[in-house]
Amino acid sequence: MPSLYVHIPFCRHRCGYCDFNTYSGLDSIIPRYVEALAKEIREVGTQGDAPSLHTLFFGGGTPSLLTAGQAGVLMQAIRHSFSIEADAEITLEANPGGLTEGYLSELLVLGLNRISLGVQSIHPAELAVLEREHGIEQVVSSVRAARAAGFANLSLDLIYGIPGQTLDTWEESLTRVLALEPDHLSLYALTLEHGTPLRREVRSGRVPAPDDDLAAEMYEQAGERLARNGFAQYEISNWARRMAGPDAWRFASRHNLQYWRNLPYFGVGAGAHGYVNGRRYSNVLAPATYIRRMDSGASRGWPLSRAAARSEILSNDEAMRQSMWLGLRLTEEGVPVGGFQHRFGVSPDERFGREIDELLAHRLIERQAKPDRLRLTEHGRLLANQVFVRFV
Ligand code: SF4
């Protein structure tokens, strides 16, 4: 069953490290963008005969810039042209600040049931390096508002490896976010993306370069701390609150699991990517071009909409490679050998025997029996890019 990603490419302010497809100063076109998005949702859903969705994700950008009315327009378009499973996970990414209980209650009534909040750090100096505009007070009030509104699934993001960050300040950030009792945590290593102001600052020497060894220590420190505090890691950067019995992974992000399992998802909105029927595609990047294309562009064959810019059918071999490196991101589940064989007609060892043997010899991956699967070792998690590159 597929998923749906909805991209909202607007932010109040552009953070210095961000290379996402998002824009500040374009708030005036949000109403027209929402209309175009509803049009694309209807086009893709209706042509596809109302596919059933088990996860939806409003990502960005800052989707919480949408009014509840605008989110309602989008949810209505989705309900009208797709089918949404009764227990679907429906996430909205949000930034702390400006989130009120009233607003979040309206989202809950619309069917949204998971909030993912970008905290990044609790320290003003680290937030300043990232050019984030919020402070810890807004994080606390946003979490309180989400819980008061009734959200029972709350995820918080933190960043480590920030110039100037120490093991102590990182521990303080972890302590403070754990005190907020989230259900899920995403911890991302800061990367200096091409073309970002932060990269330029570091290159010019105005900001110290991130220290990779220190970042690796922070990662290990976090893994130990979260395990002690009742969280189980299931992906390189993601931890879910540990639950008992069949509900053990209740708080793992079902939407992101869809990507890591290399399963189909639709993508709508400017710059959104999708992967449906073996076809990988993406839409035009600029919101104004996107609106224009949805107004007057030529229609394309399903699953593409008028906004599609790129599209290719993945060969079987590319799909196998993708399943390997995405699956190896899943630290518990890994690549299930039986599932891979069932999907592709060959086992991972038949197709990637040499790569697998070398990675096993270097103890970067391990083989587990019952169920038979390949997954990263703890050492391999620290050197994951060296593993993935073997399958790209
Ligand atoms: S809020 Fe998020 S998406 Fe927006 S500029 Fe900052 S990092 Fe990028």
Side-chain angles (χ1 to χ4, degrees):
M1 194 177 299
S3 295
L4 173 67
Y5 174 79
V6 182
H7 191 64
I8 309 296
F10 306 103
C11 290
R12 284 260 176 267
H13 154 88
R14 227 181 130 87
C15 307
Y17 62 102
C18 180
D19 75 335
F20 299 149
N21 183 42
T22 186
Y23 306 82
S24 58
L26 288 186
D27 290 14
S28 62
I29 69 168
I30 293 180
R32 281 196 292 136
Y33 183 80
V34 169
E35 276 172 33
L37 205 40
K39 213 180 275 181
E40 188 186 17
I41 289 165
R42 284 195 292 269
E43 183 176 333
V44 174
T46 313
Q47 284 181 21
D49 219 1
S52 231
L53 303 171
H54 76 121
T55 74
L56 278 83
F57 196 101
F58 291 85
T62 309
S64 53
L65 286 181
L66 295 179
T67 63
Q70 289 165 337
V73 167
L74 298 178
M75 283 301 294
Q76 197 180 13
I78 296 168
R79 286 192 195 288
H80 187 256
S81 14
F82 289 82
S83 311
I84 304 180
E85 290 293 293
D87 68 341
E89 176 194 271
I90 308 181
T91 303
L92 180 106
E93 275 186 336
N95 277 331
L99 287 183
T100 62
E101 184 186 333
Y103 172 70
L104 291 165
S105 301
E106 288 186 77
L107 296 185
L108 199 75
V109 169
L110 292 174
L112 287 98
N113 51 28
R114 183 172 184 269
I115 296 288
S116 172
L117 199 63
V119 178
Q120 319 317 1
S121 167
I122 66 150
H123 290 282
E126 293 167 10
L127 290 166
V129 169
L130 300 174
E131 293 186 48
R132 298 289 302 205
E133 289 196 309
H134 65 265
I136 183 65
E137 307 74 29
Q138 281 109 322
V139 172
V140 173
S141 67
S142 298
V143 168
R144 284 202 185 123
R147 292 304 196 195
F151 278 89
N153 193 346
L154 181 64
S155 178
L156 303 179
D157 289 3
L158 282 176
I159 292 182
Y160 61 94
I162 303 168
Q165 192 177 32
T166 66
L167 289 173
D168 286 341
T169 62
W170 174 233
E171 184 72 25
E172 283 162 15
S173 281
L174 290 170
T175 302
R176 197 71 198 267
V177 296
L178 285 167
L180 295 171
E181 302 185 335
D183 305 298
H184 183 273
L185 283 163
S186 299
L187 311 182
Y188 298 113
L190 180 68
T191 48
L192 298 176
E193 303 294 349
H194 284 280
T196 57
L198 183 59
R199 186 180 168 101
R200 287 195 289 278
E201 292 286 294
V202 168
R203 290 201 138 186
S204 69
R206 285 191 291 274
V207 169
D211 177 336
D212 290 347
D213 293 335
L214 183 59
E217 274 188 70
M218 289 176 179
Y219 181 73
E220 288 181 300
Q221 177 185 351
E224 287 162 19
R225 180 71 201 273
L226 297 189
R228 282 201 307 278
N229 281 264
F231 281 80
Q233 184 173 14
Y234 67 100
E235 196 266 348
I236 289 185
S237 306
N238 287 279
W239 283 257
R241 188 147 64 84
R242 195 180 294 124
M243 306 294 288
D247 250 3
W249 296 106
R250 175 161 139 216
F251 290 111
S253 163
R254 284 166 56 198
H255 185 84
N256 287 336
L257 281 170
Q258 186 86 356
Y259 299 147
W260 296 317
R261 289 173 177 157
N262 203 17
L263 294 172
Y265 57 93
F266 297 93
V268 292
H273 291 245
Y275 178 49
V276 176
N277 269 6
R279 180 179 290 281
R280 188 163 57 185
Y281 61 91
S282 61
N283 281 349
V284 290
L285 291 171
T289 314
Y290 171 79
I291 293 169
R292 212 167 37 245
R293 287 280 285 269
M294 286 315 300
D295 272 347
S296 54
S299 56
R300 314 275 301 268
W302 189 84
L304 306 182
S305 75
R306 293 157 202 269
R310 293 204 189 121
S311 155
E312 59 172 342
I313 294 279
L314 280 198
S315 70
N316 205 40
D317 202 61
E318 283 169 310
M320 281 195 276
R321 289 179 177 281
Q322 201 158 282
S323 287
M324 287 301 293
W325 72 262
L326 285 169
L328 285 170
R329 294 192 65 92
L330 293 170
T331 48
E332 271 296 307
E333 181 175 312
V335 177
V337 172
F340 186 99
Q341 180 142 19
H342 182 254
R343 179 168 174 178
F344 298 110
V346 290
S347 73
D349 291 278
E350 283 167 323
R351 172 58 191 87
F352 299 110
R354 186 169 52 84
E355 291 85 347
I356 290 171
D357 286 347
E358 284 174 16
L359 292 168
L360 287 169
H362 287 100
R363 298 187 199 290
L364 292 170
I365 63 170
E366 62 190 3
R367 196 185 290 281
Q368 285 243 320
K370 293 185 191 163
D372 194 4
R373 62 188 167 194
L374 295 161
R375 63 182 193 185
L376 291 176
T377 60
E378 290 213 5
H379 178 54
R381 292 179 200 179
L382 291 169
L383 301 170
N385 286 338
Q386 291 182 30
V387 176
F388 302 152
V389 80
R390 310 299 298 265
F391 302 103
V392 173

